[in-house]
Amino acid sequence: MANAFENAMKQLAEVAKRAPGVVGTEIVEYLHHPVRIVDVEFPVVMDNGSRTFFHGYRVQWNNLRGPFKGGLRFHPQVDMDEVKALAFWMTIKCAVVNIPYGGGKGGVAVDPKRLSAGELERLTRAFTRSIADVIGSDKDIPAPDVNTNAQIMDWMVDEYGKITGKIDYALITGKSLGNGGSEGRGTATGQGAWYVFEAYQKKLGLGETCKVAVQGFGNAGQVIASLFYQHGHQVVAVSDSHGGIYQENGLDIPAVITHKTSTKTLAGFPGAKEMSQEDLLTCACDVIAPSALENQFTKEIAPRVQAKVILELANGPTTPEADEIFAQKNVTVIPDVLANSGGVATSFFEWQQNKSNEHWTEQQVFEKLKGLMDAASQDVISIADQHHLTQRQAAFVLALKRIGEKI
Ligand code: NAD
């Protein structure tokens, strides 16, 4: 299995090689090194009274542009290299979308689906105590990621408040609305990806009715599938960790969401054919939106991909080898560090609201979000055109220039 951190460093090296006069060597050197790595093991009392130790991480990659910022993932595959890659990508992403943050990421190696609600809360609180020294609303601001949600963020704010004696809502973003959360944060990653897609639609000569496949049907995947559906595109395939479903004339996405919510599975959706996860990646469509985990498009899969556009909502779904194949095949990859940056951009709005004790409407939030996503998309497109780079290389160049100004 490809290593996400090695992939991230290969992407950085590739940009340094492809744009030597544009990107300074000093910033490339800087971005090879994390500022701090926190590696913890902590005990949690389980429902049966036994005690289990869990392994958690917080990686603070770079804070030249502002406090570290990045999500927390609860997943059995979480390990140091994955968290380092994600923290590095957060650094690039916050610079691409031009918000005053650096990059960080964290996680716990655990399958939360095997925990009771009480065990999940105790694990979250214990992990918060383990990393409390290094986080803070002007230091490092966590947020949700895979298998973490507003409830988990609320527990973290509460636990941290018990340690410091003061509730500071700006400590964490992605909280529930009643607990300092922002309107629109729950759907922001998909919404932001939609604005990016619209910015690219004309440039890429995409019609009004594209055939779309969405891999991953969680927070990010459900929202982007719904937005494609609402705007008249045909979402022909979606998948989750158990497999996919396909309907040539387009799935009724609201009905698929209802089915998945009530049955916990995509299987058995009326009128749809079941398909494997691999078949989804290579199915006949114009656009694929990977919205699950890293390393989905590998050098084995890439040659068989039929889509012309890959809209990366997941972090790191395309390996560097697959990127090369896509460039040769003229497949446009709209990179994660741009396409999914709507989540962290709206986290920044939540943090601003918490700091100033304001509450903005969803319309205000999405207007600001559209402004940031449009500007970032145009910046990336113009660098790619000017220097004959892929969209990912251009996004990295933009970020490296912006971060480099702070050395
Ligand atoms: P989530 O836990 O809500 O959903 C993940 C989905 O992926 C689930 O439906 C799961 O079943 C599915 N999945 C897992 N393995 C799969 C596989 N092999 N094939 C198909 N589906 C599979 O997580 P999320 O918050 O939607 O995050 C998804 C991706 O988006 C991650 O890479 C995350 O880092 C990225 N992302 C999320 C946000 C956010 O705000 N949620 C922001 C930026 C980036």
Side-chain angles (χ1 to χ4, degrees):
M1 170 103 163
N3 176 304
F5 182 61
E6 283 171 16
N7 289 348
M9 291 299 105
K10 276 188 201 163
Q11 291 169 345
L12 182 59
E14 181 67 17
V15 171
K17 194 171 92 192
R18 290 290 309 269
V22 192
V23 167
T25 50
E26 210 182 350
I27 185 60
V28 174
E29 177 61 19
Y30 247 87
L31 289 181
H32 269 99
H33 305 284
V35 170
R36 184 186 281 132
I37 286 182
V38 179
D39 184 333
V40 295
E41 290 188 58
F42 55 90
V44 176
V45 177
M46 310 307 280
D47 287 348
N48 66 7
S50 69
R51 195 170 269 112
T52 302
F53 277 79
F54 291 89
H55 205 145
Y57 309 87
R58 185 74 188 166
V59 173
Q60 299 178 329
W61 198 265
N62 187 279
N63 61 348
L64 281 169
R65 282 174 52 86
F68 304 103
K69 181 86 188 88
L72 293 172
R73 180 174 289 197
F74 287 179
H75 193 278
Q77 273 169 25
V78 164
D79 64 18
M80 182 57 86
D81 271 358
E82 182 184 65
V83 180
K84 278 162 66 180
L86 292 164
F88 167 80
W89 284 323
M90 283 306 297
T91 307
I92 301 291
K93 190 183 306 184
C94 291
V96 168
V97 74
N98 213 3
I99 53 176
Y101 288 143
K105 200 82 180 191
V108 178
V110 60
D111 182 355
K113 290 177 196 140
R114 300 174 81 114
L115 302 181
S116 70
E119 288 169 340
L120 182 62
E121 176 172 353
R122 292 195 291 281
L123 174 132
T124 303
R125 290 182 182 278
F127 180 54
T128 308
R129 292 193 294 276
S130 310
I131 61 167
D133 283 349
V134 299
I135 59 174
S137 65
D138 294 309
K139 212 195 283 187
D140 182 356
I141 308 140
D145 190 70
V146 174
N147 290 335
T148 52
N149 54 26
Q151 171 65 81
I152 290 174
M153 301 304 111
D154 289 353
W155 286 329
M156 290 191 72
V157 169
D158 183 65
E159 189 65 24
Y160 188 82
K162 285 182 182 161
I163 296 167
T164 60
K166 180 174 169 282
I167 292 289
D168 181 0
Y169 289 117
L171 166 76
I172 306 253
T173 57
K175 303 175 295 290
S176 67
L177 275 177
N179 212 25
S182 175
E183 304 288 344
R185 177 61 186 88
T187 55
T189 302
Q191 188 67 48
W194 175 255
Y195 294 140
V196 172
F197 175 76
E198 281 188 316
Y200 274 83
Q201 204 169 359
K202 218 185 233 149
K203 174 186 167 55
L204 298 177
L206 291 164
E208 293 301 312
T209 319
C210 296
K211 283 191 186 293
V212 182
V214 177
Q215 185 207 33
F217 208 56
N219 177 332
Q222 289 189 16
V223 176
I224 195 67
S226 301
L227 285 164
F228 274 115
Y229 175 85
Q230 283 162 27
H231 287 84
H233 298 281
Q234 289 180 331
V235 182
V236 292
V238 298
S239 65
D240 65 12
S241 56
H242 303 292
I245 53 171
Y246 177 83
Q247 211 164 38
E248 200 182 344
N249 298 328
L251 294 155
D252 178 344
I253 294 301
V256 177
I257 292 175
T258 306
H259 175 81
K260 163 97 186 171
T261 310
S262 61
T263 65
K264 307 278 175 240
T265 171
L266 292 167
F269 182 70
K273 275 198 304 203
E274 286 177 25
M275 72 180 349
S276 70
Q277 286 152 348
E278 189 170 319
D279 285 348
L280 179 132
L281 298 177
T282 56
C283 75
C285 63
D286 306 301
V287 180
I288 294 191
S291 312
L293 296 173
E294 299 89 62
N295 298 325
Q296 301 303 303
F297 293 111
T298 57
K299 64 178 188 304
E300 289 78 25
I301 299 261
R304 292 188 283 124
V305 167
Q306 298 187 58
K308 281 279 153 225
V309 177
I310 296 176
L311 181 66
E312 293 185 335
L313 278 85
N315 285 304
T318 309
T319 65
E321 294 77 21
D323 253 342
E324 260 182 62
I325 296 167
F326 287 144
Q328 283 158 14
K329 284 175 55 166
N330 218 7
V331 172
T332 302
V333 181
I334 306 177
D336 46 9
V337 290
L338 170 65
N340 72 29
S341 62
V344 74
T346 309
S347 276
F348 170 55
F349 301 147
E350 180 175 331
W351 181 82
Q352 282 184 309
Q353 291 171 76
N354 294 151
K355 287 279 185 192
S356 56
N357 209 11
E358 289 177 17
H359 190 82
W360 305 344
T361 63
E362 185 178 88
Q363 193 185 348
Q364 285 175 303
V365 170
F366 284 165
E367 268 169 23
K368 287 172 193 282
L369 179 64
K370 183 164 168 38
L372 282 186
M373 303 312 291
D374 281 351
S377 303
Q378 295 313 331
D379 288 346
V380 172
I381 289 170
S382 76
I383 292 176
D385 288 349
Q386 193 187 345
H387 298 289
H388 308 291
L389 299 170
T390 65
Q391 303 304 309
R392 188 186 317 283
Q393 290 160 352
F396 270 59
V397 167
L398 176 64
L400 266 57
K401 280 174 140 183
R402 286 183 174 154
I403 304 166
E405 284 165 10
K406 301 287 182 184
I407 296 180

